[in-house]
Amino acid sequence: VVVQFREPPCLNLWLMCAMASVGAPSLCALTLFNDDYDVGFLCGAVNACYCARHGYQLHVLVLTQAEMQALCAGRHFAWAKVALLRWLLSEDEAEADAAVGPEAASVLRSRIDAGARAAIRGADWVVWLDADLMVVNHLRRLEDFPGFREKDLVLGEDMADLDWLNTGLVACRSSSAWCRSLWSRVWEEGAGDFHQGEFWDQSALCGCLAAWGEFQPTVIGGKKTEAPAAKAPWFSWQGGPKFKSTEHMQVLNSGAFQTNNPKFAHFAFHAAGMKDKARCCRFVVESGALQGLRLPPSGPEAAAAFAAALGGAGAAAAGAA
C-alpha cells in the first residue's frame, strides 16, 4: 500500500497493510480523493485490507481542494480518475506531462515518483476504485472475474438506467494499446456537457465508446440516444444477461461486481447516489457485511486504527471483525 497524503485517521492501518503485502503483484489498485471527503478514508481502509490479503498494490492519493482543481482543470472532481489514468498509462512520460498540463503533472509527480509509476505500469492490471466504493467480499480475487484473461477493460453495468456502464470500479489491462490510449481520448473527445453535468466521466466514456462503435447504448447521461432499440434488455436487473462482452470490454452485472444496494452487493458496495455516503458505508461495516475481512497481524493497534477510520464509532465491531 502506498499512501500519499497528510495525516488521515487510518494512516496506521494502511501502513500495517503495507507491511502485510508480499511479493510483486500482477494487479495495482488506485484511488484518489480530496482531503475533506470523509468516506474516502473509511473505504480506503477497507480496501487496503482487501488488497493486503491478496498481495495487490494499492496507491491512495489524497489531495487538497486546490490540487484537485488543478488536476481536473475546471471539470467536476469525478474527472480526476481520467486525468490520473491518462497520465499513468501514457507511453511517453513527457507527453503525459504535457497532456495534463504543468500544474496537474506537478501534483501527480509529488505523489507518484518515477519508481512508483514504473511499478504501477508493470502490473498486469491497473484497477480504479472510486473513493465511495468498498470491497465487501474479501474472499474473492479480482482476477477471477470473467474478462480478466481475454479483454482489455473490465467494469460493471450501471445500477440505474441512466448509463450502460458504471466507472466506480474499472480494471484496465496495462499492456493493451487500446487501454493506454482510452483515457486520453475520453478526456479529449468526451462531450463537454459532461465536464460538469451528470454523469461526468462515466457518461463521457459511454458516449466515446458509442462513437467509436464499441457498443450502441440507448441512453447516455440519462438521455435517450438515436441507437436502435436493443433486441434484449441491457441491464441484468431488467432481465438482460449477467455478462456482456464487446470487442474490448467485459461488462459484469451490478450485483456481482459493484452496486449501491448493500443487500445485493456480492463483491463491492458503491455508495453512488447516497445522500450521506459516510453514514451508509459505516453501516455496511458495522453491520458485519464485510466477508473475510482480515486485519493485518498487528493485534489491537490494527483494530484501533480501523475504528478510527470509522470515525471513532464501532470500535467493538472493528475488533470483532
Side-chain angles (χ1 to χ4, degrees), residues 26 35 68 87 93 108 116 143 191 193 246-247 277 281:
S26 62
D35 55 10
M68 286 290 284
W87 182 79
E93 290 190 36
L108 292 173
E143 59 266 35
D193 291 347
T246 68
E247 180 181 357
K277 294 174 183 283
C281 290

Side-chain angles (χ1 to χ4, degrees), residues 44 226 274 281:
E226 297 179 357
M274 302 296 173
C281 290

